């Protein structure tokens, strides 16, 4: 822990004075008091980014769904359960950040929630007729933040099981983002190493540059450096 | 850890030579490569019971859904994901136990699974029309075990948000069990203390006896002692 602190101390402070908001983990959308819809997401990448950003000098707020991970040193953590909770935690804070801030959306937010929450545990009816589960669409947190009048530098994540670059670029354009980080999801969920694809308006760049996988901790530091650099370029293009 | 080992060593070996099979945790029923249906269950009670049973001299096999808990010392652990996986892990082992064995079903098994598994991540269609989620009923693992020609001593768990004794007794009769342990679920999920209601054909007895809540570890030891005692009575009533 001491060695970690020393290493952290000597990392370049590329984000000194910058405010960062990060979402991480899955959301849990209750069906009844015991059941729910959720996503596979360990939250490890988001927590590693929060830590790397704090070490790079940023003031970091981490909005986390239900995960079993310790809060990184120096990071303010807000625990939420549903996508609606997460939106309520994120939106006013993102608004307060303004263009100088950074918003990184790593959370695997549920796209849909059960249309109604049953107040008591649903019972099998004995006739083998499963209930129909009516779904409602959740609001898109990242799109809402990116559409603010003075949005922070927004970074999306795309976890895909196929056609990574195409889906990442589609998300970039549809939500009007400067950067989307692609992640060949299911193969890497919960693992400690990973490899990413950085997709912007012009390029798709693998990280690590050789396209191989790297430890999530190292990858997080490299990605925070990339975000710090791209944020400065982006700020120059803004009014 | 040394003190723990010493305490464990001196616990009475009420289950010496007995084989025990325990299920614990939630199951995860995938909808597509990233989404799924699950239950709130930390697995703590099942893991505490596995540990208490091993300390009481039993040979313990623990079939666990996705949870973040260490395997208790001396316990054989089998990790599973879905209710179907859990059934396949449990059934042959329960059959091998025979009447001398004990089966404790603490897992919060999903009653329903998505009728079809989407091979790729489902996409929002842009028209705000959520997909309909068709469900299929999962087999009832505990009922299947209790219906074996020579079943082990079967203990069910009932996690309910209301009418605890009525639901527990209904489960007792419907699945033909000698014992159901009621648990006022949602208030206690993930907590380290708990209080239980032991429901058999004749009585409903709170544990702890004063009806207050106790540490899950102590409660697990008390429940294992109760199960050991009731199992002997039950064996006398069997052919």
């Amino acid at each position: 822990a001491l060695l970690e602190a020393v290493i952290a101390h000597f990392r370049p402070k590329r984000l000194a004075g910058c405010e960062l908001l990060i979402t991480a983990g899955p959301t849990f959308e209750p069906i009844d008091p015991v059941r729910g819809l959720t996503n596979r997401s360990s939250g490890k990448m988001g927590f590693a980014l929060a830590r790397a950003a704090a070490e790079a000098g940023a003031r970091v707020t981490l909005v986390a769904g239900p995960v079993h991970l310790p809060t990184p040193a120096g990071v303010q953590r807000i625990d939420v359960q549903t996508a609606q909770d997460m939106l309520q935690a994120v939106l006013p804070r993102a608004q307060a950040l303004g263009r100088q801030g950074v918003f990184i959306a790593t959370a695997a937010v549920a796209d849909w929630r059960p249309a109604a929450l049953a107040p008591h545990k649903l019972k099998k009816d004995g006739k083998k007729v499963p209930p129909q589960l009516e779904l409602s669409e959740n609001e898109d947190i990242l799109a809402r933040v990116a559409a603010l009048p003075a949005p922070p530098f927004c970074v999306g994540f795309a976890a895909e099981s196929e056609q990574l670059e195409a889906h990442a670029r589609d998300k970039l354009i549809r939500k009007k983002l400067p950067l989307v980080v692609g992640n060949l999801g299911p193969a890497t969920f919960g693992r400690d190493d990973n490899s990413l694809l950085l997709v912007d308006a012009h390029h798709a760049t693998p990280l690590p540059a050789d396209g191989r996988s790297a430890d999530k901790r190292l990858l997080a530091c490299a990605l925070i450096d990339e975000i710090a650099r791209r944020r400065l370029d982006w700020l120059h293009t803004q009014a």
Side-chain angles (χ1 to χ4, degrees), chain A:
Chain A
L2 178 63
L3 182 62
E4 296 266 344
V6 171
I7 293 169
H9 179 78
F10 285 105
R11 284 198 55 216
K13 297 286 173 280
R14 293 191 208 281
L15 289 173
C18 180
E19 285 193 79
L20 226 116
L21 183 63
I22 303 184
T23 64
T27 64
F28 182 91
E29 310 292 328
I31 296 171
D32 66 20
V34 298
R35 302 184 181 87
L37 286 167
T38 191
N39 294 311
R40 283 183 222 265
S41 168
S42 65
K44 282 181 185 170
M45 180 48 80
F47 276 63
L49 284 173
R51 177 178 172 174
E55 289 173 3
R59 275 190 22 211
V60 181
T61 303
L62 175 63
V63 179
V67 292
H68 299 260
L69 293 171
T71 309
V75 168
Q76 196 207 344
R77 174 174 180 171
I78 298 162
D79 284 317
V80 297
Q81 184 181 246
T82 67
Q84 288 173 307
D85 295 343
M86 191 174 272
L87 179 68
Q88 278 175 33
V90 162
L91 209 54
R93 288 178 175 85
Q95 204 151 15
L97 290 179
R99 285 193 209 280
Q100 294 295 324
V102 174
F103 177 56
I104 308 180
T106 76
V109 181
D111 289 320
W112 300 289
R113 65 177 180 277
L117 171 62
H120 292 297
K121 187 178 168 186
L122 300 175
K123 292 287 170 189
K124 290 185 279 192
D125 66 357
K127 294 181 228 107
K128 303 271 167 193
V129 181
Q132 275 278 352
L133 198 54
E134 289 282 339
L135 300 176
S136 297
E137 190 164 329
N138 279 324
E139 281 199 80
D140 187 318
I141 297 173
L142 177 55
R144 285 288 297 274
V145 170
L148 286 171
F153 182 79
C154 287
V155 182
F157 267 70
E160 302 295 340
S161 54
E162 43 152 17
Q163 295 184 279
L164 182 57
E165 186 178 343
H167 282 307
R169 190 165 300 287
D170 173 62
K171 183 174 267 196
L172 186 91
I173 293 165
R174 192 161 31 86
K175 303 193 186 182
K176 302 190 177 65
L177 307 173
L179 179 62
V180 169
V181 180
N183 182 354
L184 269 177
T188 66
F189 286 135
R191 284 182 48 189
D192 288 324
D193 62 335
N194 207 343
S195 84
L196 305 173
L197 187 69
L198 273 52
V199 177
D200 64 22
H202 308 292
H203 304 100
T205 321
L207 189 77
D210 61 8
R212 299 168 76 166
S213 75
D215 178 84
K216 274 190 186 174
R217 169 115 175 75
L218 292 176
L219 210 50
C221 290
L223 183 53
I224 287 296
D225 285 351
E226 275 287 328
I227 288 171
R229 188 177 63 73
R230 288 162 183 259
R231 166 182 171 258
L232 291 180
D233 293 346
W234 176 82
L235 276 171
H236 288 139
T237 70
Q238 303 292 301

